Amino acid sequence: MKIVSSLALVVAAGWLSGCSTVPDSQITNIPLHATSVNAGNIARPIMMPKGNATEFWFAVSGETMGSALPGRLTAYIYPGSCANLGAKPAYDLNDGPNARFYSSASMQYFWKSAPVAVETLRAGSYVLVVRESPADGRQSIYCGRLS
């Protein structure tokens, strides 16, 4: 099943980057690592500029045990590291639109945006954190560096 999920992720990433009007050199794959409550699952966002903002396209596998269906994932950009997050998020990515797509490979696809330039995120010490919805306990399930 992991091979099917991984293949679906690669296909989705290729499809998303192929539909973009952003040059390939400006698209960045962000490696996210599953936390202990979500071990064995994968997430792979793509970060790209959109004017003075940054857009993130996510492909996420799995839902944690006991999550409400369909799961509602939230995303934040924190200063610091995954081991030592800042006191509060620098950017909350949950105010804008959130598109969800169905996949038969147990993957969720959605996008979020941040009101900050890609260059600022790459130059700073920021991490991207994906959490469960408040209804599911708001636990962090993925984290990864943006630089």
Side-chain angles (χ1 to χ4, degrees):
M1 185 64 175
K2 292 290 180 193
I3 292 173
V4 172
S5 296
S6 296
L7 180 59
L9 177 63
V10 170
V11 169
W15 177 76
L16 291 172
S17 61
C19 292
S20 172
T21 59
V22 176
D24 288 346
S25 62
Q26 293 182 359
I27 296 173
T28 305
N29 287 307
I30 306 297
L32 291 184
H33 305 284
T35 64
S36 60
V37 299
N38 200 32
N41 289 309
I42 58 171
R44 186 63 99 192
I46 299 169
M47 179 173 73
M48 67 185 107
K50 184 173 184 180
N52 290 328
T54 301
E55 208 162 80
F56 294 88
W57 287 85
F58 291 84
V60 178
S61 77
E63 294 275 347
T64 56
M65 289 298 281
S67 65
L69 294 176
R72 196 61 131 146
L73 301 178
T74 59
Y76 303 87
I77 297 173
Y78 275 88
S81 67
C82 291
N84 188 23
L85 294 177
K88 63 179 189 171
Y91 302 98
D92 180 340
L93 308 183
N94 304 297
D95 289 336
N98 180 11
R100 297 174 58 84
F101 304 99
Y102 170 79
S103 171
S104 61
S106 299
M107 299 287 286
Q108 292 185 56
Y109 303 99
F110 59 96
W111 64 274
K112 299 201 177 264
S113 60
V116 59
V118 167
E119 294 80 20
T120 302
L121 295 175
R122 286 182 180 156
S125 180
Y126 293 105
V127 293
L128 179 61
V129 176
V130 177
R131 291 195 172 129
E132 297 174 316
S133 72
D136 293 327
R138 213 171 169 264
Q139 296 183 87
S140 295
I141 57 174
Y142 296 104
C143 187
R145 293 198 60 76
L146 291 177
S147 54

